[in-house]
Amino acid sequence: MKASDLIEHIATIPTFKKYGRVKRVVGLMIESQGPESSVGEVCYIHINSRGTQRIIQAEVVGFNNDLVILMPFTNMQDISPGSLVEATTKPLEIKVGPSLIGKVVDSLGQPINGGKLPKGLNTTFTEQDPPNPLSRPPIDEKIEVGVKAIDSMLTVGKGQRVGIFAGSGVGKSTLLGMIARNTNADINVIALIGERGREVREFIERDLGEEGLRKTIVVAATSDQPALMRIKGALTATAIAEYFRDKGMNVMLMMDSVTRVAMAQREIGLAVGEPPTTKGYTPSVFALLPKLLERTGTNVKGSITAFYTVLVDGDDFNEPISDTVRGILDGHIILDRDIANRGQYPAINVLKSVSRLINHLASPEHLKASERIRELLSTYTNSEDLIQIGAYKKGSSREIDESILFYPKIISFLKQGVNEKITQQQSIQGLVQLANKGDAGS
Protein backbone atom coordinates (compact mmCIF):
# COMPACT_ATOMS: atom_id res chain seq x y z
CA MET A 1 0.00 0.00 0.00
CA LYS A 2 1.31 3.44 -0.94
CA ALA A 3 2.00 5.97 1.81
CA SER A 4 -0.70 8.30 0.41
CA ASP A 5 -3.26 5.47 0.45
CA LEU A 6 -2.29 4.59 4.02
CA ILE A 7 -2.71 8.19 5.16
CA GLU A 8 -6.07 8.38 3.42
CA HIS A 9 -7.18 5.14 5.12
CA ILE A 10 -6.05 6.36 8.55
CA ALA A 11 -8.06 9.56 8.03
CA THR A 12 -11.25 7.51 7.65
CA ILE A 13 -10.79 5.68 10.97
CA PRO A 14 -13.04 7.24 13.64
CA THR A 15 -11.13 8.73 16.58
CA PHE A 16 -13.87 7.96 19.08
CA LYS A 17 -16.67 5.40 19.53
CA LYS A 18 -20.38 6.09 19.87
CA TYR A 19 -22.40 4.32 22.55
CA GLY A 20 -25.99 4.02 23.70
CA ARG A 21 -28.00 2.11 26.29
CA VAL A 22 -30.76 -0.49 25.93
CA LYS A 23 -34.10 0.95 27.08
CA ARG A 24 -36.46 -1.98 26.50
CA VAL A 25 -37.09 -5.15 24.49
CA VAL A 26 -40.38 -5.45 22.58
CA GLY A 27 -41.03 -8.75 20.80
CA LEU A 28 -38.24 -9.21 18.25
CA MET A 29 -36.91 -5.70 18.68
CA ILE A 30 -34.49 -3.92 21.00
CA GLU A 31 -34.97 -0.19 21.65
CA SER A 32 -31.96 1.80 22.77
CA GLN A 33 -31.24 5.40 23.67
CA GLY A 34 -28.51 6.04 21.09
CA PRO A 35 -25.98 5.54 19.67
CA GLU A 36 -26.04 7.86 16.67
CA SER A 37 -26.38 5.45 13.74
CA SER A 38 -28.16 4.80 10.44
CA VAL A 39 -30.45 2.08 9.07
CA GLY A 40 -28.49 -1.02 8.06
CA GLU A 41 -25.59 -0.29 10.42
CA VAL A 42 -24.30 -3.09 12.65
CA CYS A 43 -24.07 -2.43 16.39
CA TYR A 44 -22.54 -4.45 19.23
CA ILE A 45 -24.59 -5.03 22.38
CA HIS A 46 -22.30 -5.74 25.33
CA ILE A 47 -23.70 -8.36 27.71
CA ASN A 48 -22.41 -8.75 31.26
CA SER A 49 -24.41 -11.51 32.93
CA ARG A 50 -23.64 -14.28 35.40
CA GLY A 51 -20.02 -13.18 35.58
CA THR A 52 -19.43 -13.61 31.85
CA GLN A 53 -19.03 -10.99 29.15
CA ARG A 54 -19.99 -11.41 25.52
CA ILE A 55 -21.11 -9.37 22.52
CA ILE A 56 -24.30 -9.72 20.49
CA GLN A 57 -24.38 -8.32 16.96
CA ALA A 58 -27.52 -6.42 15.96
CA GLU A 59 -28.60 -4.29 13.03
CA VAL A 60 -30.38 -0.95 13.03
CA VAL A 61 -33.75 -1.53 11.35
CA GLY A 62 -35.59 1.68 12.23
CA PHE A 63 -36.24 4.49 14.67
CA ASN A 64 -39.03 5.38 17.09
CA ASN A 65 -38.84 9.08 17.95
CA ASP A 66 -35.40 9.38 19.54
CA LEU A 67 -34.96 5.63 20.12
CA VAL A 68 -32.91 3.35 17.87
CA ILE A 69 -34.66 0.07 16.94
CA LEU A 70 -32.28 -2.87 16.68
CA MET A 71 -32.80 -6.48 15.64
CA PRO A 72 -30.20 -9.01 16.86
CA PHE A 73 -28.55 -11.67 14.69
CA THR A 74 -28.86 -14.20 17.54
CA ASN A 75 -31.22 -14.75 20.48
CA MET A 76 -31.72 -11.96 23.01
CA GLN A 77 -30.98 -13.96 26.14
CA ASP A 78 -29.31 -11.96 28.95
CA ILE A 79 -29.97 -8.54 27.37
CA SER A 80 -31.02 -6.20 30.19
CA PRO A 81 -31.99 -2.53 30.59
CA GLY A 82 -28.84 -0.42 30.43
CA SER A 83 -26.79 -2.88 28.35
CA LEU A 84 -24.16 -0.96 26.41
CA VAL A 85 -24.78 -0.53 22.65
CA GLU A 86 -21.72 0.27 20.52
CA ALA A 87 -21.97 1.66 16.98
CA THR A 88 -19.60 0.22 14.36
CA THR A 89 -20.44 2.83 11.66
CA LYS A 90 -20.44 0.00 9.06
CA PRO A 91 -22.98 -2.43 7.60
CA LEU A 92 -22.44 -6.18 7.76
CA GLU A 93 -19.19 -7.41 6.18
CA ILE A 94 -18.15 -10.95 5.28
CA LYS A 95 -14.90 -12.63 4.27
CA VAL A 96 -14.75 -14.36 0.88
CA GLY A 97 -12.15 -15.87 -1.42
CA PRO A 98 -11.20 -19.04 -3.32
CA SER A 99 -10.18 -20.84 -0.11
CA LEU A 100 -13.83 -20.68 1.01
CA ILE A 101 -14.83 -23.19 -1.73
CA GLY A 102 -15.95 -26.48 -0.21
CA LYS A 103 -16.97 -24.83 3.06
CA VAL A 104 -20.36 -24.47 4.76
CA VAL A 105 -20.88 -21.07 6.40
CA ASP A 106 -23.67 -19.27 8.25
CA SER A 107 -25.36 -15.98 7.36
CA LEU A 108 -22.46 -13.98 8.80
CA GLY A 109 -19.93 -15.88 6.68
CA GLN A 110 -18.57 -17.89 9.63
CA PRO A 111 -17.95 -21.68 9.42
CA ILE A 112 -21.08 -23.43 10.62
CA ASN A 113 -19.07 -26.11 12.44
CA GLY A 114 -17.46 -23.50 14.70
CA GLY A 115 -14.02 -23.67 13.07
CA LYS A 116 -11.91 -20.80 11.83
CA LEU A 117 -12.07 -19.18 8.41
CA PRO A 118 -9.16 -19.98 6.07
CA LYS A 119 -6.54 -17.30 5.54
CA GLY A 120 -6.22 -15.06 2.51
CA LEU A 121 -9.86 -13.95 2.30
CA ASN A 122 -11.09 -10.52 1.21
CA THR A 123 -13.75 -8.38 2.86
CA THR A 124 -16.97 -7.47 1.07
CA PHE A 125 -20.32 -5.97 2.08
CA THR A 126 -23.39 -8.21 2.00
CA GLU A 127 -25.59 -5.49 0.50
CA GLN A 128 -24.63 -4.27 -2.97
CA ASP A 129 -26.41 -2.41 -5.75
CA PRO A 130 -27.45 -4.40 -8.85
CA PRO A 131 -25.31 -3.84 -11.98
CA ASN A 132 -26.29 -0.90 -14.15
CA PRO A 133 -28.83 -2.23 -16.67
CA LEU A 134 -26.96 -0.61 -19.58
CA SER A 135 -23.71 -2.31 -18.55
CA ARG A 136 -25.20 -5.82 -18.59
CA PRO A 137 -24.01 -7.79 -21.66
CA PRO A 138 -26.81 -9.67 -23.48
CA ILE A 139 -27.20 -13.35 -22.62
CA ASP A 140 -26.20 -15.21 -25.77
CA GLU A 141 -24.41 -18.34 -24.52
CA LYS A 142 -25.98 -21.52 -23.17
CA ILE A 143 -24.96 -23.00 -19.82
CA GLU A 144 -25.06 -26.73 -19.20
CA VAL A 145 -27.33 -27.60 -16.31
CA GLY A 146 -27.02 -31.38 -16.64
CA VAL A 147 -30.76 -32.00 -16.29
CA LYS A 148 -32.15 -33.39 -19.55
CA ALA A 149 -35.59 -31.77 -19.37
CA ILE A 150 -34.07 -28.31 -18.71
CA ASP A 151 -31.16 -28.48 -21.18
CA SER A 152 -33.42 -29.64 -24.00
CA MET A 153 -36.86 -28.08 -23.44
CA LEU A 154 -36.03 -25.09 -21.17
CA THR A 155 -32.52 -24.11 -22.25
CA VAL A 156 -30.84 -21.69 -19.83
CA GLY A 157 -28.19 -19.09 -20.69
CA LYS A 158 -25.21 -17.86 -18.69
CA GLY A 159 -26.55 -15.10 -16.46
CA GLN A 160 -30.21 -16.12 -16.71
CA ARG A 161 -32.36 -16.12 -13.56
CA VAL A 162 -34.94 -18.90 -13.24
CA GLY A 163 -37.52 -19.75 -10.59
CA ILE A 164 -38.31 -23.32 -9.55
CA PHE A 165 -41.91 -23.32 -8.32
CA ALA A 166 -43.26 -26.25 -6.32
CA GLY A 167 -45.21 -27.33 -3.28
CA SER A 168 -43.50 -29.13 -0.42
CA GLY A 169 -42.00 -32.55 -1.06
CA VAL A 170 -42.04 -32.48 -4.87
CA GLY A 171 -38.26 -32.64 -5.37
CA LYS A 172 -36.85 -29.09 -5.29
CA SER A 173 -33.78 -29.96 -3.21
CA THR A 174 -33.05 -33.09 -5.26
CA LEU A 175 -33.22 -31.05 -8.48
CA LEU A 176 -30.84 -28.43 -7.05
CA GLY A 177 -28.41 -31.19 -6.07
CA MET A 178 -28.50 -32.59 -9.62
CA ILE A 179 -27.80 -29.14 -11.08
CA ALA A 180 -24.92 -28.52 -8.63
CA ARG A 181 -23.24 -31.83 -9.50
CA ASN A 182 -23.79 -31.73 -13.27
CA THR A 183 -23.46 -28.07 -14.30
CA ASN A 184 -20.39 -26.81 -16.14
CA ALA A 185 -20.39 -23.52 -14.18
CA ASP A 186 -17.05 -22.58 -12.59
CA ILE A 187 -18.43 -22.49 -9.03
CA ASN A 188 -21.70 -23.11 -7.17
CA VAL A 189 -23.05 -20.96 -4.35
CA ILE A 190 -25.99 -22.57 -2.57
CA ALA A 191 -28.14 -20.73 -0.02
CA LEU A 192 -30.31 -22.91 2.24
CA ILE A 193 -32.73 -20.44 3.82
CA GLY A 194 -35.24 -21.48 6.47
CA GLU A 195 -34.48 -25.20 6.10
CA ARG A 196 -35.07 -27.70 8.89
CA GLY A 197 -31.85 -28.32 10.81
CA ARG A 198 -31.63 -31.97 9.80
CA GLU A 199 -32.09 -31.12 6.10
CA VAL A 200 -28.87 -29.10 5.86
CA ARG A 201 -26.58 -32.08 6.45
CA GLU A 202 -28.85 -34.37 4.42
CA PHE A 203 -28.70 -31.98 1.45
CA ILE A 204 -24.91 -31.68 1.64
CA GLU A 205 -24.29 -35.43 1.98
CA ARG A 206 -27.10 -36.93 -0.14
CA ASP A 207 -28.19 -34.37 -2.72
CA LEU A 208 -24.95 -32.42 -3.19
CA GLY A 209 -22.46 -35.17 -2.42
CA GLU A 210 -18.69 -34.99 -2.18
CA GLU A 211 -18.37 -34.33 -5.91
CA GLY A 212 -20.71 -31.33 -5.80
CA LEU A 213 -19.22 -29.88 -2.59
CA ARG A 214 -15.75 -29.70 -4.15
CA LYS A 215 -16.79 -26.69 -6.24
CA THR A 216 -19.49 -25.29 -3.95
CA ILE A 217 -19.88 -22.81 -1.11
CA VAL A 218 -22.97 -23.47 1.03
CA VAL A 219 -24.63 -20.72 3.10
CA ALA A 220 -27.10 -22.12 5.64
CA ALA A 221 -29.66 -20.26 7.77
CA THR A 222 -31.99 -22.74 9.47
CA SER A 223 -35.62 -22.11 10.39
CA ASP A 224 -34.86 -21.73 14.12
CA GLN A 225 -32.66 -18.69 13.54
CA PRO A 226 -33.98 -15.11 13.81
CA ALA A 227 -35.67 -13.58 10.78
CA LEU A 228 -32.75 -11.20 10.23
CA MET A 229 -30.32 -14.12 9.93
CA ARG A 230 -32.51 -15.74 7.27
CA ILE A 231 -32.50 -12.54 5.21
CA LYS A 232 -28.77 -12.10 5.72
CA GLY A 233 -28.26 -15.68 4.48
CA ALA A 234 -29.72 -14.70 1.10
CA LEU A 235 -27.71 -11.47 0.97
CA THR A 236 -24.48 -13.20 2.00
CA ALA A 237 -24.85 -15.93 -0.65
CA THR A 238 -25.54 -13.30 -3.30
CA ALA A 239 -22.50 -11.25 -2.19
CA ILE A 240 -20.27 -14.34 -2.42
CA ALA A 241 -21.58 -15.04 -5.93
CA GLU A 242 -20.94 -11.39 -6.89
CA TYR A 243 -17.35 -11.63 -5.66
CA PHE A 244 -16.58 -14.57 -7.95
CA ARG A 245 -18.50 -12.99 -10.84
CA ASP A 246 -16.27 -9.92 -10.53
CA LYS A 247 -13.28 -12.27 -10.86
CA GLY A 248 -14.55 -13.20 -14.34
CA MET A 249 -16.12 -16.53 -13.38
CA ASN A 250 -19.43 -18.08 -14.42
CA VAL A 251 -21.22 -18.66 -11.11
CA MET A 252 -24.24 -20.86 -10.43
CA LEU A 253 -26.29 -19.46 -7.52
CA MET A 254 -29.07 -21.60 -6.07
CA MET A 255 -31.36 -20.33 -3.33
CA ASP A 256 -33.80 -22.57 -1.48
CA SER A 257 -36.08 -20.84 -0.90
CA VAL A 258 -36.86 -17.22 -1.75
CA THR A 259 -40.30 -17.69 -0.18
CA ARG A 260 -38.73 -18.07 3.26
CA VAL A 261 -36.70 -14.91 2.66
CA ALA A 262 -39.98 -13.10 1.99
CA MET A 263 -41.52 -14.59 5.14
CA ALA A 264 -38.54 -13.41 7.19
CA GLN A 265 -38.89 -9.89 5.81
CA ARG A 266 -42.59 -10.00 6.66
CA GLU A 267 -41.70 -10.86 10.28
CA ILE A 268 -39.39 -7.85 10.48
CA GLY A 269 -41.86 -5.56 8.72
CA LEU A 270 -44.68 -6.46 11.11
CA ALA A 271 -42.35 -6.11 14.11
CA VAL A 272 -41.38 -2.52 13.18
CA GLY A 273 -45.01 -1.56 12.58
CA GLU A 274 -45.52 -1.92 8.81
CA PRO A 275 -49.13 -2.53 7.78
CA PRO A 276 -49.89 -5.99 6.34
CA THR A 277 -51.12 -5.56 2.77
CA THR A 278 -51.28 -8.42 0.25
CA LYS A 279 -52.24 -11.61 2.14
CA GLY A 280 -50.35 -10.43 5.22
CA TYR A 281 -47.13 -9.49 3.42
CA THR A 282 -45.78 -6.02 4.19
CA PRO A 283 -44.71 -3.47 1.53
CA SER A 284 -41.02 -3.99 2.36
CA VAL A 285 -41.28 -7.61 1.12
CA PHE A 286 -42.14 -6.46 -2.39
CA ALA A 287 -39.35 -3.86 -2.21
CA LEU A 288 -36.77 -6.46 -1.12
CA LEU A 289 -37.49 -9.11 -3.79
CA PRO A 290 -36.50 -7.14 -6.93
CA LYS A 291 -33.52 -5.62 -5.12
CA LEU A 292 -32.27 -9.11 -4.23
CA LEU A 293 -33.08 -10.89 -7.49
CA GLU A 294 -31.71 -8.14 -9.76
CA ARG A 295 -28.24 -8.42 -8.20
CA THR A 296 -27.62 -11.64 -10.13
CA GLY A 297 -27.23 -11.96 -13.89
CA THR A 298 -24.41 -10.70 -16.12
CA ASN A 299 -21.97 -7.86 -15.77
CA VAL A 300 -18.94 -6.86 -17.85
CA LYS A 301 -16.67 -9.30 -15.98
CA GLY A 302 -18.66 -12.52 -15.52
CA SER A 303 -22.09 -13.98 -14.90
CA ILE A 304 -24.31 -15.36 -12.15
CA THR A 305 -26.84 -17.90 -13.38
CA ALA A 306 -29.43 -18.17 -10.62
CA PHE A 307 -32.06 -20.74 -9.68
CA TYR A 308 -34.49 -19.58 -6.97
CA THR A 309 -36.95 -22.07 -5.50
CA VAL A 310 -40.38 -20.75 -4.61
CA LEU A 311 -42.43 -22.75 -2.11
CA VAL A 312 -46.06 -22.39 -3.15
CA ASP A 313 -48.64 -22.83 -0.38
CA GLY A 314 -51.30 -25.38 -1.24
CA ASP A 315 -49.85 -25.66 -4.78
CA ASP A 316 -51.29 -22.19 -5.53
CA PHE A 317 -48.95 -20.85 -8.21
CA ASN A 318 -50.66 -17.44 -8.21
CA GLU A 319 -50.15 -16.49 -4.58
CA PRO A 320 -48.40 -13.09 -4.04
CA ILE A 321 -44.77 -14.21 -3.73
CA SER A 322 -44.98 -16.63 -6.66
CA ASP A 323 -46.61 -14.00 -8.83
CA THR A 324 -44.06 -11.31 -7.92
CA VAL A 325 -41.00 -13.55 -8.38
CA ARG A 326 -42.29 -14.92 -11.69
CA GLY A 327 -42.60 -11.36 -12.99
CA ILE A 328 -39.00 -10.49 -12.07
CA LEU A 329 -37.16 -13.60 -13.32
CA ASP A 330 -36.23 -14.73 -16.83
CA GLY A 331 -38.16 -17.98 -16.73
CA HIS A 332 -39.89 -20.43 -14.45
CA ILE A 333 -39.83 -24.20 -13.95
CA ILE A 334 -42.97 -25.77 -12.50
CA LEU A 335 -42.61 -28.97 -10.48
CA ASP A 336 -45.97 -30.76 -10.62
CA ARG A 337 -47.19 -32.98 -7.77
CA ASP A 338 -49.33 -35.07 -10.16
CA ILE A 339 -46.27 -35.81 -12.30
CA ALA A 340 -44.29 -36.76 -9.20
CA ASN A 341 -47.10 -39.06 -8.07
CA ARG A 342 -46.78 -40.90 -11.40
CA GLY A 343 -43.12 -41.60 -10.64
CA GLN A 344 -41.67 -39.18 -13.21
CA TYR A 345 -38.58 -37.42 -11.84
CA PRO A 346 -37.60 -34.68 -12.03
CA ALA A 347 -41.31 -33.79 -11.91
CA ILE A 348 -41.03 -30.87 -14.36
CA ASN A 349 -44.21 -29.84 -16.15
CA VAL A 350 -42.62 -28.65 -19.39
CA LEU A 351 -45.92 -27.32 -20.76
CA LYS A 352 -46.32 -24.88 -17.85
CA SER A 353 -42.60 -24.05 -17.64
CA VAL A 354 -40.96 -21.27 -19.66
CA SER A 355 -37.43 -20.15 -20.49
CA ARG A 356 -37.74 -16.61 -21.81
CA LEU A 357 -34.38 -16.82 -23.57
CA ILE A 358 -34.61 -20.17 -25.36
CA ASN A 359 -35.49 -18.42 -28.65
CA HIS A 360 -32.18 -16.51 -28.48
CA LEU A 361 -30.07 -19.47 -27.34
CA ALA A 362 -31.32 -22.50 -29.28
CA SER A 363 -30.47 -23.35 -32.88
CA PRO A 364 -33.37 -23.45 -35.38
CA GLU A 365 -33.26 -27.27 -35.39
CA HIS A 366 -33.32 -27.42 -31.58
CA LEU A 367 -36.14 -24.88 -31.35
CA LYS A 368 -38.22 -26.74 -33.94
CA ALA A 369 -37.74 -30.03 -32.07
CA SER A 370 -38.73 -28.42 -28.74
CA GLU A 371 -41.90 -26.97 -30.27
CA ARG A 372 -42.80 -30.33 -31.84
CA ILE A 373 -42.48 -32.18 -28.51
CA ARG A 374 -44.55 -29.50 -26.77
CA GLU A 375 -47.21 -29.87 -29.45
CA LEU A 376 -47.40 -33.66 -28.98
CA LEU A 377 -47.48 -33.34 -25.18
CA SER A 378 -50.16 -30.66 -25.30
CA THR A 379 -52.36 -32.69 -27.64
CA TYR A 380 -52.15 -35.73 -25.36
CA THR A 381 -52.75 -33.71 -22.17
CA ASN A 382 -55.83 -32.00 -23.62
CA SER A 383 -57.32 -35.38 -24.59
CA GLU A 384 -56.05 -37.39 -21.63
CA ASP A 385 -59.40 -37.75 -19.87
CA LEU A 386 -61.06 -39.16 -22.99
CA ILE A 387 -58.14 -41.51 -23.61
CA GLN A 388 -58.05 -42.80 -20.03
CA ILE A 389 -61.75 -43.67 -19.84
CA GLY A 390 -61.70 -45.27 -23.29
CA ALA A 391 -64.03 -42.71 -24.89
CA TYR A 392 -61.55 -41.87 -27.66
CA LYS A 393 -61.74 -44.08 -30.78
CA LYS A 394 -58.51 -44.65 -32.64
CA GLY A 395 -58.52 -42.95 -36.05
CA SER A 396 -60.80 -40.09 -35.04
CA SER A 397 -57.88 -37.64 -35.03
CA ARG A 398 -54.46 -38.05 -36.58
CA GLU A 399 -52.91 -35.60 -34.07
CA ILE A 400 -54.29 -37.49 -31.06
CA ASP A 401 -53.20 -40.83 -32.54
CA GLU A 402 -49.67 -39.47 -32.91
CA SER A 403 -49.64 -38.11 -29.37
CA ILE A 404 -50.81 -41.46 -27.95
CA LEU A 405 -48.02 -43.22 -29.87
CA PHE A 406 -45.26 -40.87 -28.75
CA TYR A 407 -46.39 -39.98 -25.22
CA PRO A 408 -44.56 -42.92 -23.51
CA LYS A 409 -41.39 -42.12 -25.48
CA ILE A 410 -41.55 -38.44 -24.47
CA ILE A 411 -42.05 -39.30 -20.79
CA SER A 412 -39.17 -41.78 -20.96
CA PHE A 413 -36.98 -39.06 -22.49
CA LEU A 414 -37.88 -36.51 -19.78
CA LYS A 415 -37.11 -38.92 -16.92
CA GLN A 416 -33.64 -38.85 -15.40
CA GLY A 417 -32.07 -40.71 -12.51
CA VAL A 418 -30.68 -38.66 -9.64
CA ASN A 419 -27.11 -39.82 -10.34
CA GLU A 420 -27.49 -40.02 -14.12
CA LYS A 421 -25.08 -37.72 -15.97
CA ILE A 422 -26.19 -36.39 -19.34
CA THR A 423 -24.44 -33.59 -21.21
CA GLN A 424 -26.35 -30.75 -22.82
CA GLN A 425 -25.29 -31.92 -26.28
CA GLN A 426 -26.64 -35.42 -25.59
CA SER A 427 -29.93 -33.96 -24.32
CA ILE A 428 -30.43 -31.79 -27.40
CA GLN A 429 -29.48 -34.63 -29.78
CA GLY A 430 -31.96 -36.93 -28.03
CA LEU A 431 -34.70 -34.30 -28.32
CA VAL A 432 -34.06 -33.75 -32.04
CA GLN A 433 -34.06 -37.49 -32.75
CA LEU A 434 -37.31 -37.94 -30.83
CA ALA A 435 -38.96 -35.03 -32.66
CA ASN A 436 -37.81 -36.34 -36.05
CA LYS A 437 -39.42 -39.71 -35.28
CA GLY A 438 -42.60 -37.86 -34.41
CA ASP A 439 -42.49 -35.98 -37.71
CA ALA A 440 -41.78 -39.19 -39.59
CA GLY A 441 -44.82 -40.77 -37.92
CA SER A 442 -47.02 -37.98 -39.26
Side-chain angles (χ1 to χ4, degrees), residues 109-125:
Q110 298 298 316
I112 207 167
N113 60 3
K116 291 185 177 181
L117 284 171
K119 295 181 179 179
L121 300 178
N122 299 303
T123 301
T124 186
F125 292 116

Side-chain angles (χ1 to χ4, degrees), residues 75 86 144 205 214 223 233 261 290 292 301 354 391 402 419 440:
N75 64 60
E86 177 188 342
E144 185 173 303
E205 293 182 357
R214 274 199 294 267
S223 58
V261 177
L292 173 66
K301 297 176 181 177
V354 172
E402 275 186 277
N419 297 311

Side-chain angles (χ1 to χ4, degrees), residues 18-40:
K18 300 172 184 177
Y19 291 95
R21 293 281 181 183
V22 171
K23 297 290 287 185
R24 66 172 186 160
V25 173
V26 184
L28 305 174
M29 300 299 173
I30 301 165
E31 293 185 356
S32 73
Q33 188 74 51
E36 184 183 330
S37 53
S38 57
V39 171

Side-chain angles (χ1 to χ4, degrees), residues 249-298:
M249 300 174 76
N250 294 313
V251 185
M252 179 69 74
L253 171 66
M254 287 168 274
M255 190 176 295
D256 185 17
S257 72
V258 73
T259 306
R260 294 194 176 106
V261 177
M263 289 178 174
Q265 182 61 42
R266 177 174 64 181
E267 281 184 46
I268 294 175
L270 292 172
V272 297
E274 278 189 80
T277 52
T278 310
K279 288 197 174 180
Y281 287 100
T282 56
S284 61
V285 173
F286 301 101
L288 171 70
L289 288 175
K291 188 178 177 183
L292 173 66
L293 303 180
E294 284 290 345
R295 286 173 61 180
T296 53
T298 58

